[in-house]
mmCIF file of all heavy atoms in Angstrom:
data_model
loop_
_atom_site.group_PDB
_atom_site.id
_atom_site.type_symbol
_atom_site.label_atom_id
_atom_site.label_comp_id
_atom_site.label_asym_id
_atom_site.label_seq_id
_atom_site.Cartn_x
_atom_site.Cartn_y
_atom_site.Cartn_z
ATOM 1 N N ILE A 215 141.744 81.439 107.160
ATOM 2 C CA ILE A 215 142.603 82.617 107.014
ATOM 3 C C ILE A 215 144.023 82.289 107.431
ATOM 4 O O ILE A 215 144.263 81.677 108.479
ATOM 5 C CB ILE A 215 142.080 83.758 107.878
ATOM 6 C CG1 ILE A 215 140.658 84.184 107.425
ATOM 7 C CG2 ILE A 215 142.999 84.951 107.908
ATOM 8 C CD1 ILE A 215 140.607 84.843 106.073
ATOM 9 N N ASP A 216 144.999 82.763 106.631
ATOM 10 C CA ASP A 216 146.414 82.673 106.938
ATOM 11 C C ASP A 216 146.814 84.009 107.546
ATOM 12 O O ASP A 216 146.859 85.019 106.875
ATOM 13 C CB ASP A 216 147.185 82.382 105.660
ATOM 14 C CG ASP A 216 148.688 82.321 105.860
ATOM 15 O OD1 ASP A 216 149.234 82.840 106.902
ATOM 16 O OD2 ASP A 216 149.373 81.794 104.966
ATOM 17 N N ASN A 217 147.156 84.005 108.850
ATOM 18 C CA ASN A 217 147.452 85.236 109.556
ATOM 19 C C ASN A 217 148.633 85.993 108.964
ATOM 20 O O ASN A 217 148.655 87.200 109.005
ATOM 21 C CB ASN A 217 147.679 84.975 111.014
ATOM 22 C CG ASN A 217 146.382 84.706 111.782
ATOM 23 O OD1 ASN A 217 145.343 85.231 111.408
ATOM 24 N ND2 ASN A 217 146.448 83.873 112.796
ATOM 25 N N SER A 218 149.638 85.284 108.441
ATOM 26 C CA SER A 218 150.801 85.977 107.869
ATOM 27 C C SER A 218 150.402 86.756 106.600
ATOM 28 O O SER A 218 150.897 87.870 106.368
ATOM 29 C CB SER A 218 151.942 85.002 107.579
ATOM 30 O OG SER A 218 151.603 84.079 106.561
ATOM 31 N N ARG A 219 149.534 86.176 105.803
ATOM 32 C CA ARG A 219 149.023 86.900 104.616
ATOM 33 C C ARG A 219 148.232 88.130 105.021
ATOM 34 O O ARG A 219 148.410 89.194 104.455
ATOM 35 C CB ARG A 219 148.144 85.968 103.771
ATOM 36 C CG ARG A 219 148.901 84.929 103.009
ATOM 37 C CD ARG A 219 147.980 83.972 102.233
ATOM 38 N NE ARG A 219 147.041 84.638 101.362
ATOM 39 C CZ ARG A 219 147.330 85.019 100.101
ATOM 40 N NH1 ARG A 219 148.540 84.838 99.609
ATOM 41 N NH2 ARG A 219 146.410 85.591 99.351
ATOM 42 N N ILE A 220 147.411 87.967 106.033
ATOM 43 C CA ILE A 220 146.607 89.124 106.530
ATOM 44 C C ILE A 220 147.515 90.198 107.012
ATOM 45 O O ILE A 220 147.303 91.375 106.727
ATOM 46 C CB ILE A 220 145.618 88.667 107.626
ATOM 47 C CG1 ILE A 220 144.625 87.611 107.101
ATOM 48 C CG2 ILE A 220 144.908 89.868 108.229
ATOM 49 C CD1 ILE A 220 143.790 88.049 105.928
ATOM 50 N N GLN A 221 148.559 89.817 107.755
ATOM 51 C CA GLN A 221 149.473 90.846 108.279
ATOM 52 C C GLN A 221 150.197 91.597 107.163
ATOM 53 O O GLN A 221 150.353 92.834 107.254
ATOM 54 C CB GLN A 221 150.474 90.209 109.235
ATOM 55 C CG GLN A 221 151.289 91.205 110.029
ATOM 56 C CD GLN A 221 150.406 92.153 110.812
ATOM 57 O OE1 GLN A 221 149.558 91.731 111.569
ATOM 58 N NE2 GLN A 221 150.598 93.438 110.630
ATOM 59 N N LYS A 222 150.592 90.877 106.128
ATOM 60 C CA LYS A 222 151.239 91.538 104.979
ATOM 61 C C LYS A 222 150.301 92.548 104.331
ATOM 62 O O LYS A 222 150.669 93.663 103.949
ATOM 63 C CB LYS A 222 151.727 90.493 103.953
ATOM 64 C CG LYS A 222 152.926 89.691 104.419
ATOM 65 C CD LYS A 222 153.271 88.607 103.426
ATOM 66 C CE LYS A 222 154.348 87.697 103.942
ATOM 67 N NZ LYS A 222 154.601 86.567 103.046
ATOM 68 N N MET A 223 149.019 92.092 104.146
ATOM 69 C CA MET A 223 148.032 92.995 103.545
ATOM 70 C C MET A 223 147.795 94.214 104.430
ATOM 71 O O MET A 223 147.723 95.337 103.947
ATOM 72 C CB MET A 223 146.686 92.271 103.367
ATOM 73 C CG MET A 223 146.668 91.330 102.207
ATOM 74 S SD MET A 223 145.054 90.568 101.848
ATOM 75 C CE MET A 223 144.031 90.902 103.188
ATOM 76 N N LEU A 224 147.671 93.987 105.744
ATOM 77 C CA LEU A 224 147.454 95.110 106.671
ATOM 78 C C LEU A 224 148.623 96.103 106.621
ATOM 79 O O LEU A 224 148.381 97.304 106.635
ATOM 80 C CB LEU A 224 147.275 94.565 108.090
ATOM 81 C CG LEU A 224 145.949 93.927 108.406
ATOM 82 C CD1 LEU A 224 145.971 93.301 109.801
ATOM 83 C CD2 LEU A 224 144.817 94.952 108.288
ATOM 84 N N ASP A 225 149.806 95.592 106.586
ATOM 85 C CA ASP A 225 150.988 96.442 106.538
ATOM 86 C C ASP A 225 150.949 97.365 105.305
ATOM 87 O O ASP A 225 151.171 98.583 105.402
ATOM 88 C CB ASP A 225 152.284 95.672 106.561
ATOM 89 C CG ASP A 225 152.540 94.945 107.864
ATOM 90 O OD1 ASP A 225 151.962 95.366 108.905
ATOM 91 O OD2 ASP A 225 153.393 94.039 107.870
ATOM 92 N N ILE A 226 150.599 96.793 104.166
ATOM 93 C CA ILE A 226 150.524 97.588 102.934
ATOM 94 C C ILE A 226 149.403 98.615 103.007
ATOM 95 O O ILE A 226 149.588 99.779 102.708
ATOM 96 C CB ILE A 226 150.361 96.653 101.707
ATOM 97 C CG1 ILE A 226 151.653 95.823 101.536
ATOM 98 C CG2 ILE A 226 150.064 97.483 100.447
ATOM 99 C CD1 ILE A 226 151.499 94.696 100.528
ATOM 100 N N LYS A 227 148.232 98.150 103.462
ATOM 101 C CA LYS A 227 147.086 99.052 103.588
ATOM 102 C C LYS A 227 147.384 100.226 104.532
ATOM 103 O O LYS A 227 147.098 101.363 104.208
ATOM 104 C CB LYS A 227 145.861 98.305 104.079
ATOM 105 C CG LYS A 227 145.265 97.366 103.012
ATOM 106 C CD LYS A 227 144.075 96.637 103.645
ATOM 107 C CE LYS A 227 143.486 95.613 102.683
ATOM 108 N NZ LYS A 227 142.313 94.938 103.215
ATOM 109 N N LEU A 228 147.975 99.897 105.672
ATOM 110 C CA LEU A 228 148.306 100.956 106.639
ATOM 111 C C LEU A 228 149.326 101.958 106.055
ATOM 112 O O LEU A 228 149.197 103.171 106.288
ATOM 113 C CB LEU A 228 148.843 100.345 107.936
ATOM 114 C CG LEU A 228 147.772 99.738 108.831
ATOM 115 C CD1 LEU A 228 148.436 98.987 109.977
ATOM 116 C CD2 LEU A 228 146.841 100.824 109.360
ATOM 117 N N ARG A 229 150.296 101.437 105.318
ATOM 118 C CA ARG A 229 151.267 102.337 104.700
ATOM 119 C C ARG A 229 150.597 103.290 103.709
ATOM 120 O O ARG A 229 150.949 104.456 103.619
ATOM 121 C CB ARG A 229 152.393 101.534 104.033
ATOM 122 C CG ARG A 229 153.286 100.839 105.088
ATOM 123 C CD ARG A 229 154.322 99.973 104.436
ATOM 124 N NE ARG A 229 155.252 100.799 103.676
ATOM 125 C CZ ARG A 229 156.112 100.283 102.807
ATOM 126 N NH1 ARG A 229 156.173 98.959 102.587
ATOM 127 N NH2 ARG A 229 156.964 101.067 102.165
ATOM 128 N N VAL A 230 149.595 102.807 102.984
ATOM 129 C CA VAL A 230 148.847 103.643 102.067
ATOM 130 C C VAL A 230 148.041 104.676 102.841
ATOM 131 O O VAL A 230 148.043 105.868 102.524
ATOM 132 C CB VAL A 230 147.933 102.807 101.110
ATOM 133 C CG1 VAL A 230 147.039 103.727 100.284
ATOM 134 C CG2 VAL A 230 148.816 101.941 100.202
ATOM 135 N N PHE A 231 147.256 104.210 103.801
ATOM 136 C CA PHE A 231 146.414 105.128 104.597
ATOM 137 C C PHE A 231 147.232 106.201 105.316
ATOM 138 O O PHE A 231 146.806 107.336 105.434
ATOM 139 C CB PHE A 231 145.551 104.358 105.622
ATOM 140 C CG PHE A 231 144.318 103.778 105.057
ATOM 141 C CD1 PHE A 231 144.112 102.413 104.994
ATOM 142 C CD2 PHE A 231 143.299 104.576 104.574
ATOM 143 C CE1 PHE A 231 142.954 101.859 104.477
ATOM 144 C CE2 PHE A 231 142.123 104.080 104.066
ATOM 145 C CZ PHE A 231 141.944 102.705 104.013
ATOM 146 N N ASN A 232 148.433 105.803 105.789
ATOM 147 C CA ASN A 232 149.318 106.756 106.499
ATOM 148 C C ASN A 232 150.205 107.571 105.544
ATOM 149 O O ASN A 232 151.062 108.286 105.978
ATOM 150 C CB ASN A 232 150.167 105.996 107.509
ATOM 151 C CG ASN A 232 149.365 105.430 108.656
ATOM 152 O OD1 ASN A 232 148.361 106.008 109.045
ATOM 153 N ND2 ASN A 232 149.796 104.287 109.152
ATOM 154 N N LYS A 233 149.954 107.381 104.221
ATOM 155 C CA LYS A 233 150.662 108.130 103.181
ATOM 156 C C LYS A 233 152.206 107.911 103.248
ATOM 157 O O LYS A 233 152.967 108.795 102.910
ATOM 158 C CB LYS A 233 150.336 109.629 103.264
ATOM 159 C CG LYS A 233 148.852 109.927 103.315
ATOM 160 C CD LYS A 233 148.416 110.785 102.165
ATOM 161 C CE LYS A 233 146.989 111.197 102.261
ATOM 162 N NZ LYS A 233 146.028 110.222 101.874
ATOM 163 N N GLU A 234 152.580 106.710 103.654
ATOM 164 C CA GLU A 234 153.988 106.334 103.701
ATOM 165 C C GLU A 234 154.437 105.768 102.337
ATOM 166 O O GLU A 234 155.622 105.651 102.095
ATOM 167 C CB GLU A 234 154.232 105.289 104.785
ATOM 168 C CG GLU A 234 153.958 105.780 106.187
ATOM 169 C CD GLU A 234 153.970 104.682 107.203
ATOM 170 O OE1 GLU A 234 154.326 103.527 106.872
ATOM 171 O OE2 GLU A 234 153.619 104.937 108.353
ATOM 172 N N ILE A 235 153.471 105.406 101.543
ATOM 173 C CA ILE A 235 153.731 104.816 100.237
ATOM 174 C C ILE A 235 152.592 105.252 99.319
ATOM 175 O O ILE A 235 151.464 105.411 99.728
ATOM 176 C CB ILE A 235 153.806 103.256 100.349
ATOM 177 C CG1 ILE A 235 154.242 102.627 99.025
ATOM 178 C CG2 ILE A 235 152.519 102.686 100.830
ATOM 179 C CD1 ILE A 235 154.539 101.129 99.127
ATOM 180 N N THR A 236 152.890 105.465 98.065
ATOM 181 C CA THR A 236 151.866 105.883 97.101
ATOM 182 C C THR A 236 151.025 104.645 96.714
ATOM 183 O O THR A 236 151.524 103.523 96.790
ATOM 184 C CB THR A 236 152.454 106.474 95.819
ATOM 185 O OG1 THR A 236 153.162 105.435 95.110
ATOM 186 C CG2 THR A 236 153.359 107.664 96.121
ATOM 187 N N PRO A 237 149.783 104.861 96.317
ATOM 188 C CA PRO A 237 148.985 103.724 95.848
ATOM 189 C C PRO A 237 149.660 102.973 94.694
ATOM 190 O O PRO A 237 149.618 101.743 94.650
ATOM 191 C CB PRO A 237 147.682 104.390 95.410
ATOM 192 C CG PRO A 237 147.554 105.598 96.300
ATOM 193 C CD PRO A 237 148.966 106.115 96.428
ATOM 194 N N ALA A 238 150.344 103.711 93.801
ATOM 195 C CA ALA A 238 151.009 103.022 92.679
ATOM 196 C C ALA A 238 152.123 102.125 93.185
ATOM 197 O O ALA A 238 152.277 100.962 92.697
ATOM 198 C CB ALA A 238 151.575 104.048 91.716
ATOM 199 N N ASP A 239 152.936 102.592 94.133
ATOM 200 C CA ASP A 239 154.007 101.761 94.704
ATOM 201 C C ASP A 239 153.423 100.613 95.482
ATOM 202 O O ASP A 239 153.969 99.501 95.459
ATOM 203 C CB ASP A 239 154.944 102.611 95.549
ATOM 204 C CG ASP A 239 155.822 103.536 94.722
ATOM 205 O OD1 ASP A 239 155.987 103.295 93.531
ATOM 206 O OD2 ASP A 239 156.315 104.547 95.303
ATOM 207 N N ALA A 240 152.323 100.865 96.185
ATOM 208 C CA ALA A 240 151.678 99.789 96.949
ATOM 209 C C ALA A 240 151.153 98.725 96.017
ATOM 210 O O ALA A 240 151.243 97.522 96.313
ATOM 211 C CB ALA A 240 150.547 100.376 97.801
ATOM 212 N N ARG A 241 150.594 99.120 94.888
ATOM 213 C CA ARG A 241 150.075 98.162 93.925
ATOM 214 C C ARG A 241 151.183 97.257 93.394
ATOM 215 O O ARG A 241 151.023 96.027 93.286
ATOM 216 C CB ARG A 241 149.413 98.913 92.778
ATOM 217 C CG ARG A 241 148.683 98.008 91.812
ATOM 218 C CD ARG A 241 147.875 98.848 90.870
ATOM 219 N NE ARG A 241 147.276 98.035 89.843
ATOM 220 C CZ ARG A 241 146.662 98.530 88.798
ATOM 221 N NH1 ARG A 241 146.573 99.823 88.652
ATOM 222 N NH2 ARG A 241 146.145 97.750 87.905
ATOM 223 N N LYS A 242 152.342 97.837 93.108
ATOM 224 C CA LYS A 242 153.495 97.036 92.679
ATOM 225 C C LYS A 242 153.870 96.028 93.790
ATOM 226 O O LYS A 242 154.158 94.838 93.509
ATOM 227 C CB LYS A 242 154.681 97.931 92.370
ATOM 228 C CG LYS A 242 154.547 98.732 91.084
ATOM 229 C CD LYS A 242 155.743 99.633 90.898
ATOM 230 C CE LYS A 242 155.466 100.682 89.825
ATOM 231 N NZ LYS A 242 156.452 101.725 89.765
ATOM 232 N N LEU A 243 153.912 96.500 95.026
ATOM 233 C CA LEU A 243 154.277 95.658 96.165
ATOM 234 C C LEU A 243 153.246 94.526 96.312
ATOM 235 O O LEU A 243 153.605 93.379 96.526
ATOM 236 C CB LEU A 243 154.353 96.488 97.418
ATOM 237 C CG LEU A 243 154.767 95.773 98.704
ATOM 238 C CD1 LEU A 243 156.142 95.118 98.560
ATOM 239 C CD2 LEU A 243 154.817 96.776 99.845
ATOM 240 N N VAL A 244 151.990 94.845 96.210
ATOM 241 C CA VAL A 244 150.935 93.831 96.307
ATOM 242 C C VAL A 244 151.113 92.796 95.208
ATOM 243 O O VAL A 244 151.031 91.599 95.471
ATOM 244 C CB VAL A 244 149.537 94.482 96.250
ATOM 245 C CG1 VAL A 244 148.451 93.453 95.929
ATOM 246 C CG2 VAL A 244 149.225 95.219 97.544
ATOM 247 N N ASN A 245 151.327 93.237 94.012
ATOM 248 C CA ASN A 245 151.481 92.311 92.873
ATOM 249 C C ASN A 245 152.696 91.435 93.025
ATOM 250 O O ASN A 245 152.718 90.277 92.543
ATOM 251 C CB ASN A 245 151.501 93.080 91.540
ATOM 252 C CG ASN A 245 150.145 93.645 91.183
ATOM 253 O OD1 ASN A 245 149.139 93.237 91.715
ATOM 254 N ND2 ASN A 245 150.157 94.640 90.324
#
């Protein structure tokens, strides 16, 4: 596991769960 990749994923997931970003915007960011 690459911890920096995990942290980036966690940040995006948390922003979605906390409703700070829409799933559509998060998907663009992930891609």
